[in-house]
Amino acid sequence: MRFVLRFFGFLFSVGAIFFLIGAVGLAYGFWFYSKDLPDHAQLETYEPPVMTRIHASDGSLIAEYARERRLYVPIDSVPKLVIGAFLSAEDKNFYKHPGIDPEGLMRAVVINLRSGGAREQGASTITQQVAKNFLVGNERSYERKIREALIALRMESTFSKDKILELYLNEIFLGTLTPGRNLHGIAAAALDYFGKSIHELTIAEAAYIAALPKGPNNYHPFRQRKAALERRNWVIERMAVNGYISQEAAAEAQKEPLNVKPRMVSPNSIASGYFAEGVRRDIAERYGEESLYEGGLLIRSTLDPKMQAMARKALVDNLVRFDEARGWRGAQQKIDLAGREWGLALSEVPILGDIQPWRLAVVLEVARGQAKVGLQPRREASGQVVKERETGTVTAEGARWTRRTVDKAVAVGDVVYVEPLADKEGQFRLRQIPEISGAIVAMDPYTGRVHAMVGGFSYDQSEFNRAIQAMRQPGSSFKPIVYATALDNGYTPSSTIMDSPFVLDMGPGQEAWAPKNFDGKSAGLRTLRYGVEHSKNLMTVRLSNEIGMPMVAEYARRFGVSDDMLPLLSMSLGAGETTVMRMTAAYSMFVNGGRRIKPTLIDQIQDRNGRTIYRHDDRKCANCNAEKWDGGAAPKLTENREQVLDPLTAYQMTSILEGVVQRGTAQTVKAVGKPLAGKTGTSNDAKDVWFMGFSPDLAVGVFLGYDQPKSLGNAATAGQYAAPVFRDFMQMALKDKPATPFRVPAGIKLIRVNASTGTRAGGEGGGTILEAFKPGQSPPEFVAPEPEETPQVEYQGAPGAPRQAGGAAPGGLY
């Protein structure tokens, strides 16, 4: 008996020793692996990278920017169905365990030891996965697993289960359905896989997304469809077993196909490449790249999608019309089809993705006056082919504009762009990328909100935005700045200037500067209105000389056309450089009563928490937040914008520019049938053509020209090429708008005058018009003219007069 007691005493002592050794070992291991653990408390203030989204003024999405595509969703906004799917797939005991699952961990260790590492088995809880993703990293080792488990235990003692689950559901990587779009979090995945918000997901859809964390590439909906279905159905089964759905609902859901429908690119995105890039640049400059790509900013832009599509169509159609008038340049490139399948060969050719409905095609056969073409397959956003091996025909009608027969225009192997012929199934028209480019901007003249902006033929072809980045000579579209300067300083629309030869002495050894009118003729003494309506260079130069170029330069600065224009007479004819955006803003100030506006692509910006951090309209409104109307006058916005031009001067200039459309160089615009005003502008040698114009509520600027400046043609004018873009756009934009006349400000007197002489209308004959005069101004009385004499050449240039930079300045502007 004593022996037995001693034996058990010995066993107890040994056990106690081993227990102490184990306890010490465990304590040491805990200390060793815990001593440099990352601080899990940092999760309390963690803000994951969230994508920035840009919306049009109607709320539609036009662009997203992110390094990780994520939309953060608070846990209380996540549907129970989605939570049930993830818990069933990843951690059914999440709300019961302390952060680790001992049974699952031991099972994984045994399996891994038995397989010798050939078949790795994980047993990470959701808490451990959060610890790994945020704090530990992806290194595969037992040490990492121990550290992960220790952090998980700490997290469970610090954070609520809901907080941990919220971090997990928003951080987890859920695949790359579309190249370059790495999806993180359930909200982004729901949008890209099914085009839905998480609240709209069905059982089958929620289960498929919950199936992805184990390995998104293993369950890709197109490349691994069978495995994806099996994994999804397993998740649905576990959801039923765990009581999140009924067995009947599970059975029905398992019968459904995957139904993955990748979110298609918005039509607004296709048409708005230049606009979206303009917003992106603005945000990057304001807040930096990190805020742009990770800050989760919500940007409400000023874009009007319908107007943007109209602007793009008007510009592109006219660029193509100009280019095609200069003939067919041949195929984009040529590919050898010998021994190759044409669809595969054509799929390797890069295509511009924003010029629909144009299609890239390869000529397969030319016979009997027509060509058979194979069309490059159309693809969805996921990269999946919509329709393969589609063919069509280019007939004589489709090649007529080339002024060649089909067999002379194309040959087998030629890669060309084609466009479907309306109402002719399977027939196509040859197209070519125009060499000329241009820009159009449409703006609210009262706020500076840019409704539409197109910076070239194709953003995919060239990201260079000719609306805001191209510095070009505005030609005669600058002249209204000169005339506005004169009207603001004592002149009237009926004031007269001599239209006769003018020569500027440039100094010893330099050729004199002698500008000319576009038509080479002089008209004698004429009114300021006549000088603008008929774009008279000689009158403009003389007027600038009278009022002084330093004053003209100051008004150019006020209007924002140029920050530091040289006070040289040649600048009065638009020899300086500016942008379409600046010119459009300047013309807006004529129609808005002379108030300065700042062009903007952005209405407001909110941070990831919904707090407004920027608003374009910073005007104050007293009592706008009143709880109810007290019956008094409606609240008014406090006007804080600078008055850069007398409102009465602004109207006089508007009236004169309306005359340009009615009687002058822009009569093609009359076809719109609405009150419009504007001015043509053709630079020296017709390297740039402009049209700047407006209706009572919309200002529009147009520019056409080659990126490497060269003449558009000896006889090219803005009235031929730029004004039609404005006309076509306004016909669409104002189609359903009433014919609202321009607003006449208080103080303006409308007096009938002779249209030719500007004198008060009387019995002298000729047409008459209503002319605008300020208080204290009146038209001159008619006086019979003396017999005409040949206009004399006037020489200018006293010692010390400003010298023209670079020799002779441009002439012949229109």
Side-chain angles (χ1 to χ4, degrees):
M1 184 66 180
R2 184 179 299 175
F3 174 77
V4 173
L5 291 173
R6 286 180 178 176
F7 177 74
F8 279 107
F10 172 77
L11 288 179
F12 178 80
S13 300
V14 172
I17 292 171
F18 275 105
F19 176 79
L20 288 173
I21 293 172
V24 170
L26 286 172
Y28 175 79
F30 184 84
W31 171 82
F32 178 81
Y33 289 112
S34 300
K35 63 181 180 179
D36 59 349
L37 286 178
D39 183 8
H40 63 283
Q42 63 186 274
L43 295 177
E44 191 68 47
T45 58
Y46 173 72
E47 289 189 337
V50 179
M51 64 179 158
T52 289
R53 313 183 88 199
I54 303 174
H55 294 266
S57 59
D58 65 354
S60 59
L61 184 69
I62 60 173
E64 296 173 329
Y65 296 101
R67 295 190 177 99
E68 296 178 357
R69 307 192 73 79
R70 178 186 289 106
L71 296 170
Y72 201 87
V73 184
I75 190 63
D76 54 10
S77 296
V78 180
K80 300 298 183 184
L81 178 68
V82 175
I83 291 175
F86 273 88
L87 295 183
S88 297
E90 294 294 309
D91 189 355
K92 69 175 183 178
N93 295 319
F94 173 72
Y95 279 97
K96 299 176 182 177
H97 62 61
I100 59 174
D101 183 354
E103 180 184 347
L105 185 61
M106 291 303 299
R107 183 173 62 251
V109 170
V110 171
I111 293 175
N112 290 337
L113 289 174
R114 286 178 177 175
S115 65
R119 178 190 169 195
E120 292 193 3
Q121 175 73 27
S124 293
T125 64
I126 282 178
T127 311
Q128 287 176 272
Q129 291 185 57
V130 172
K132 177 185 70 174
N133 291 337
F134 286 88
L135 303 170
V136 181
N138 291 315
E139 177 193 353
R140 294 187 175 185
S141 67
Y142 284 111
E143 180 180 341
R144 193 269 294 168
K145 293 292 291 184
I146 294 172
R147 289 161 58 83
E148 176 187 293
L150 292 174
I151 293 176
L153 291 170
R154 288 187 178 184
M155 288 176 58
E156 290 275 353
S157 66
T158 305
F159 304 114
S160 69
K161 287 284 188 179
D162 283 349
K163 177 64 177 178
I164 294 170
L165 185 59
E166 178 181 297
L167 290 169
Y168 172 78
L169 292 176
N170 284 286
E171 178 66 22
I172 193 71
F173 174 63
L174 293 170
T176 306
L177 183 59
T178 304
R181 294 169 66 92
N182 296 326
L183 303 173
H184 290 261
I186 54 175
L191 279 175
D192 263 40
Y193 283 106
F194 300 106
K196 296 180 176 181
S197 74
I198 55 175
H199 301 88
E200 299 172 303
L201 295 175
T202 64
I203 293 173
E205 292 164 348
Y208 174 69
I209 293 176
L212 294 172
K214 280 290 187 286
N217 289 334
N218 299 331
Y219 307 114
H220 193 280
F222 304 119
R223 296 193 294 268
Q224 304 290 343
R225 182 175 290 271
K226 182 179 179 182
L229 272 170
E230 290 175 352
R231 175 70 179 172
R232 183 207 66 177
N233 287 346
W234 178 83
V235 174
I236 293 173
E237 177 188 329
R238 302 317 302 168
M239 291 174 70
V241 169
N242 294 327
Y244 293 109
I245 57 175
S246 67
Q247 290 291 349
E248 293 76 12
E252 288 299 317
Q254 287 177 327
K255 295 177 184 177
E256 294 181 20
L258 280 180
N259 284 330
V260 171
K261 297 176 181 178
R263 186 167 50 141
M264 299 298 292
V265 176
S266 166
N268 296 339
S269 300
I270 293 173
S272 307
Y274 288 106
F275 194 102
E277 174 60 13
V279 175
R280 190 200 69 79
R281 285 172 176 267
D282 192 337
I283 297 299
E285 290 174 5
R286 283 178 194 272
Y287 304 110
E289 296 281 335
E290 184 174 344
S291 292
L292 171 65
Y293 291 103
E294 299 181 4
L297 301 177
L298 180 62
I299 301 161
R300 177 60 66 95
S301 77
T302 61
L303 179 78
D304 181 326
K306 293 180 180 178
M307 204 171 285
Q308 177 73 13
M310 295 171 187
R312 186 174 180 276
K313 177 174 174 55
L315 179 66
V316 166
D317 285 356
N318 281 278
L319 292 177
V320 170
R321 187 177 301 121
F322 177 92
D323 188 73
E324 289 186 352
R326 276 136 191 83
W328 170 246
R329 294 190 301 276
Q332 293 285 123
Q333 66 181 75
K334 199 175 185 70
I335 56 178
D336 186 3
L337 297 179
R340 296 192 68 192
E341 201 280 319
W342 68 262
L344 180 61
L346 186 59
S347 67
E348 296 171 354
V349 179
I351 186 173
L352 303 180
D354 59 349
I355 59 173
Q356 289 89 337
W358 291 19
R359 303 277 300 278
L360 199 64
V362 60
V363 178
L364 303 176
E365 177 185 317
V366 180
R368 298 180 297 280
Q370 61 185 27
K372 179 182 178 182
V373 296
L375 304 173
Q376 190 176 70
R378 285 185 287 210
R379 297 177 181 272
E380 294 198 15
S382 65
Q384 299 303 300
V385 175
V386 175
K387 188 173 184 179
E388 293 189 83
R389 308 304 178 262
E390 187 179 356
T391 61
T393 303
V394 176
T395 63
E397 180 181 354
R400 183 174 296 121
W401 71 267
T402 68
R403 296 182 289 278
R404 304 183 188 186
T405 59
V406 174
D407 62 309
K408 297 294 184 182
V410 296
V412 173
D414 281 355
V415 176
V416 295
Y417 277 102
V418 296
E419 180 182 16
L421 283 172
D423 303 323
K424 295 191 177 180
E425 182 70 26
Q427 292 190 30
F428 293 84
R429 185 181 193 273
L430 285 177
R431 287 297 198 188
Q432 66 183 7
I433 304 299
E435 291 183 335
I436 191 174
S437 197
I440 181 172
V441 171
M443 181 186 299
D444 182 331
Y446 295 92
T447 63
R449 299 175 69 251
V450 177
H451 294 312
M453 177 179 67
V454 185
F457 173 76
S458 163
Y459 180 75
D460 283 358
Q461 178 193 30
S462 168
E463 296 182 11
F464 182 68
N465 189 338
R466 295 147 191 90
I468 57 179
Q469 293 176 285
M471 297 292 292
R472 304 296 287 250
Q473 291 184 346
S476 293
S477 65
F478 179 79
K479 289 176 181 174
I481 305 297
V482 176
Y483 285 83
T485 305
L487 292 172
D488 216 34
N489 288 277
Y491 289 74
T492 77
S494 288
S495 297
T496 53
I497 296 290
M498 183 63 73
D499 182 26
S500 62
F502 180 96
V503 177
L504 182 67
D505 184 359
M506 303 294 292
Q510 296 194 55
E511 184 180 352
W513 182 57
K516 294 179 174 57
N517 288 331
F518 180 80
D519 59 8
K521 300 176 182 178
S522 302
L525 198 63
R526 293 290 183 174
T527 64
L528 265 61
R529 174 181 285 276
Y530 179 89
V532 178
E533 290 183 354
H534 298 277
S535 200
K536 292 297 183 177
N537 293 337
L538 295 174
M539 291 180 66
T540 304
V541 170
R542 286 178 179 278
L543 180 62
S544 300
N545 195 51
E546 282 189 14
I547 60 179
M549 278 305 297
M551 185 174 288
V552 173
E554 168 59 19
Y555 272 77
R557 185 196 63 78
R558 291 187 192 179
F559 276 90
V561 172
S562 175
D563 296 330
D564 52 0
M565 190 180 82
L566 293 173
L568 307 176
L569 282 175
S570 59
M571 296 296 176
S572 68
L573 301 181
E577 292 182 335
T578 188
T579 67
V580 179
M581 185 68 77
R582 284 185 166 218
M583 288 293 288
T584 308
Y587 272 67
S588 295
M589 297 178 210
F590 292 138
V591 70
N592 76 11
R595 295 250 181 213
R596 181 185 303 282
I597 60 165
K598 182 180 179 182
T600 183
L601 308 180
I602 299 172
D603 261 340
Q604 71 173 28
I605 304 171
Q606 294 176 308
D607 64 15
R608 66 168 70 213
N609 299 313
R611 181 172 59 91
T612 298
I613 57 176
Y614 169 81
R615 193 187 302 275
H616 171 68
D617 192 343
D618 60 357
R619 290 176 293 172
K620 307 300 181 185
C621 180
N623 301 320
C624 278
N625 293 326
E627 294 183 3
K628 61 181 180 179
W629 182 49
D630 61 5
K636 290 185 178 181
L637 287 170
T638 301
E639 186 58 74
N640 58 1
R641 293 173 297 179
E642 180 186 356
Q643 191 79 47
V644 300
L645 192 68
D646 185 316
L648 305 186
T649 300
Y651 178 75
Q652 286 178 319
M653 203 65 243
T654 295
S655 176
I656 291 173
L657 292 173
E658 193 173 10
V660 175
V661 172
Q662 294 301 317
R663 295 173 295 278
T665 59
Q667 294 187 54
T668 184
V669 172
K670 284 199 294 186
V672 177
K674 305 287 174 69
L676 295 171
K679 182 70 183 74
T680 52
T682 306
S683 71
N684 192 40
D685 297 329
K687 292 178 181 177
D688 313 272
V689 291
W690 298 63
F691 188 85
M692 308 303 305
F694 48 82
S695 71
D697 297 300
L698 186 64
V700 178
V702 174
F703 154 75
L704 271 65
Y706 292 98
D707 285 341
Q708 296 299 320
K710 64 178 182 179
S711 177
L712 275 63
N714 293 333
T717 66
Q720 288 176 289
Y721 300 121
V725 180
F726 176 88
R727 176 199 64 205
D728 294 350
F729 171 73
M730 284 300 204
Q731 282 179 330
M732 293 182 280
L734 304 181
K735 180 180 178 182
D736 299 321
K737 306 291 184 183
T740 305
F742 288 101
R743 302 165 183 86
V744 182
I748 281 289
K749 298 182 296 181
L750 296 176
I751 301 175
R752 190 162 294 279
V753 301
N754 182 285
S756 299
T757 64
T759 57
R760 190 182 295 273
E764 71 278 11
T768 64
I769 59 171
L770 282 174
E771 190 59 272
F773 293 92
K774 300 175 186 176
Q777 295 179 344
S778 61
E781 298 297 328
F782 174 74
V783 177
E786 297 291 332
E788 285 193 13
E789 297 181 2
T790 303
Q792 299 297 308
V793 176
E794 183 174 342
Y795 288 87
Q796 297 287 333
R803 300 172 64 85
Q804 302 292 325
L813 307 182
Y814 190 56

